[in-house]
Each structure stands twice: as structure tokens, then as C-alpha cells.
Amino acid sequence: MPDTPANQREYPKQEKLPAGVGFPLMRLVVVFGPGVGTALDAAPGRFQGKGSGEVTLFRSPDDVLDPGDVLPADRLYANFWDVARLPARGVDTVMRPHAGREAVNFRGRRRKGGGGPGDKRVCRRKPQRPSRMTAEA
């Protein structure tokens, strides 16, 4: 991004850098269409500071996802509340479990009552609702 005064105000460079060194920094989360890789929506944000993390930015481009869509995403976004809000809108997600979670072993015993080879029911406990979320949401 160009090193203009307006960009420096909106997207400040790292504080550790001396004056006159570096460029403005922006975080960017993009939703791509699978057919030709077209960017359907993007959520730009500051590189640092409150509300600038990728998970926060991930919550903003929701309006491009329609019921029946499948969202493949990075394991960074695999937290309970972000995964739960998408199926509530009819959007399925495909992502690896978050690195901090115990891995799911799909070998061995299957659940009873149906399912195909490799199917396994995985349950996660619902954590306490974050303060940023209303009870209705």
C-alpha cells in the first residue's frame, strides 16, 4: 500500500520501526469464490490494536454467504461461536480443529445408528457466551 499520510493514519506501521522506515500495514480477510477465485468480499483492518485480529475481521463478510454455501476456512477460525453462527444461517463449514484442541481420531469405533465408513459424532461443550455477543445472537 502506498506510504501516504492518509494511509499512515488509517493503517499505522509497526511502532518498533524508526521514523521514515517501513510502510503502512493492513490485515485483510478475504472470502473467495471457488469457481475462478474471485474475491467476493474483503474485511480490511489495522495490523494491531483492539478489533484488528483476523478472527474479528472474519465475522464481518457474512452477507456474501447464502444458505447452502460451504465455507472452507483456516483452523484459526475454528472456535465454537464462529462455527455455530454459520450453520444457524444455513452455511456449512469445513475446517481443521483449532490447534489448541485435541485431535479427533476417525479410526476405530464408529457411532451406532447409522453413518458411513469414517463417520464419527464429535461433541464440543458450549462455552460461556462472550461479552461481545447478545443473548439473542
Side-chain angles (χ1 to χ4, degrees):
M1 118 177 10
D3 191 12
T4 64
N7 283 342
Q8 285 286 357
R9 280 190 301 279
E10 188 66 27
Y11 306 104
K13 60 186 175 185
Q14 290 180 326
E15 296 173 357
K16 297 177 182 178
L17 295 175
V21 175
F23 289 92
L25 294 174
M26 174 196 301
R27 283 192 200 273
L28 186 65
V29 172
V30 180
V31 177
F32 289 100
V36 292
T38 304
L40 301 175
D41 201 359
R46 291 174 166 243
F47 185 73
Q48 53 193 352
K50 184 153 180 70
S52 66
E54 288 180 46
V55 175
T56 302
L57 296 174
F58 173 66
R59 296 179 187 123
S60 35
D62 274 352
D63 56 341
V64 299
L65 301 172
D66 297 320
D69 283 349
V70 177
L71 177 70
D74 187 88
R75 71 189 325 174
L76 173 68
Y77 308 112
N79 67 68
F80 180 89
W81 297 105
D82 288 319
V83 171
R85 73 186 168 86
L86 294 168
R89 296 181 47 233
V91 176
D92 291 321
T93 59
V94 176
M95 62 184 77
R96 293 174 62 192
H98 190 278
R101 291 221 177 263
E102 180 180 328
V104 178
N105 183 354
F106 285 95
R107 291 174 282 195
R109 298 182 65 194
R110 292 188 305 141
R111 67 182 174 99
K112 294 182 181 177
D119 286 355
K120 184 173 184 176
R121 180 175 289 170
V122 178
C123 297
R124 300 280 185 216
R125 291 182 188 233
K126 181 177 170 182
Q128 183 175 353
R129 178 177 50 88
S131 60
R132 65 172 164 76
M133 183 179 280
T134 64
E136 295 78 31

